[in-house]
Amino acid sequence: MADKVKNIDVLFNPLSKNNPVVVQVLGICSVLAVTAKLEPAIVMGISVIAVLAFANVIISLLRNTIPTNIRIIVQLVVVAGLVVIVDQVLKAYAYDASKQLSVFIGLIITNCILMGRLEAFAMGNKPWPSFLDGVGNGAGYAVILIIVGFFRELFGSGTLLGYQVIPESFYEAGYVNNGLMILPPMALIVVACIIWVQRSINKELQED
């Protein structure tokens, strides 16, 4: 029963109380880069979930055989291999999204969330909890990307997933898309708003 509760915490804590982006402040660079539109934000989030979950499992399986002095190299090789697979799958089945993400899929290799979870969790835990940790932290990252992408595309372009959402009558009445929303600095402002809301809800995260 204790293991079940622990696994639930491992899976769900990164979605809120221990979110890798708004609590640990990791992976911010890609939040700035890929959230001007909702679709690439979703695709990037799913890609990170897949890479992190399977990388965690692989490193967990190998943890007792990896020499300490080369563990970072092994982790990088595992992540790089998985990123190449994800990149090829996207090119085959979601080519437009792959083009929008461009080099940022490859830069998953340098995402500090991945290296942090491999080093802090997968190297010391069994495969199943490591898988849950990967899914949880990847989902926590993806949720922030999707929220930021939602607001930036809605108010910056008037669309969601490429479909016009704001009625044409609004534009005829004088409504104008907010061009600032599609610029990288606005991603930081949206993330800051999410941090404010999240810390207002979770009082234990507030600093004295």
Side-chain angles (χ1 to χ4, degrees), residues 51-69:
V51 172
L52 182 50
F54 288 106
N56 261 13
V57 171
I58 294 170
I59 293 300
S60 178
L61 290 169
L62 298 175
R63 71 188 188 282
N64 294 324
T65 62
I66 301 174
T68 302
N69 58 336

Side-chain angles (χ1 to χ4, degrees), residues 145-165:
L145 252 67
I146 291 169
I147 293 172
V148 176
F150 175 89
F151 286 107
R152 291 184 71 193
E153 181 175 358
L154 178 63
F155 294 113
S157 304
T159 61
L160 286 175
L161 296 173
Y163 295 99
Q164 189 68 37
V165 173

Side-chain angles (χ1 to χ4, degrees), residues 73-202:
I73 297 173
V74 173
Q75 292 168 14
L76 283 171
V77 169
V78 169
V79 172
L82 290 169
V83 168
V84 169
I85 293 171
V86 167
D87 185 42
Q88 294 303 309
V89 169
L90 288 177
K91 286 180 178 177
Y93 298 102
Y95 185 69
D96 289 341
S98 176
K99 283 183 66 178
Q100 290 183 61
L101 289 170
S102 182
V103 299
F104 296 108
I105 285 292
L107 290 176
I108 291 175
I109 298 169
T110 64
N111 192 316
C112 42
I113 296 173
L114 276 84
M115 299 308 298
R117 297 323 298 167
L118 294 177
E119 185 69 13
F121 197 92
M123 286 294 292
N125 290 274
K126 294 180 179 179
W128 178 241
S130 296
F131 177 78
L132 294 178
D133 179 78
V135 172
N137 279 276
Y141 168 84
V143 164
I144 302 303
L145 252 67
I146 291 169
I147 293 172
V148 176
F150 175 89
F151 286 107
R152 291 184 71 193
E153 181 175 358
L154 178 63
F155 294 113
S157 304
T159 61
L160 286 175
L161 296 173
Y163 295 99
Q164 189 68 37
V165 173
I166 296 177
E168 192 64 36
S169 58
F170 279 39
Y171 293 100
E172 293 173 356
Y175 178 83
V176 178
N177 291 328
N178 186 346
L180 181 62
M181 290 296 292
I182 59 176
L183 298 177
M186 202 60 202
L188 278 179
I189 295 174
V190 177
V191 170
C193 291
I194 296 171
I195 292 173
W196 175 70
V197 170
Q198 197 238 18
R199 296 199 176 195
S200 298
I201 295 171
N202 299 296

